[in-house]
Amino acid sequence: MSKLPGIIILLALSACSGLPARQYEASPSPCAISEASYECQVERYQNVNVD
């Protein structure tokens, strides 16, 4: 009887281990699509002082 909560917890944890990890995808840079686009120029302007 005292082992039952431990077994339930282990089963619950093992069920979540089979799920794939979340992968976040960033949107592609406008410069990857077209170097001459307005959006690419804006991005380059905003990233001038970023280290």
Side-chain angles (χ1 to χ4, degrees):
M1 186 70 177
S2 64
K3 294 181 182 179
L4 188 60
I7 292 173
I8 292 174
I9 291 172
L10 286 176
L11 286 174
L13 290 174
S14 66
C16 295
S17 67
L19 297 175
R22 257 190 179 173
Q23 295 183 3
Y24 298 99
E25 294 184 21
S27 59
S29 169
C31 296
I33 298 169
S34 174
E35 290 281 329
S37 69
Y38 176 75
E39 291 83 7
C40 179
Q41 299 305 314
V42 170
E43 180 178 315
R44 287 181 187 246
Y45 176 78
Q46 291 174 346
N47 292 337
V48 168
N49 294 324
V50 176
D51 290 332

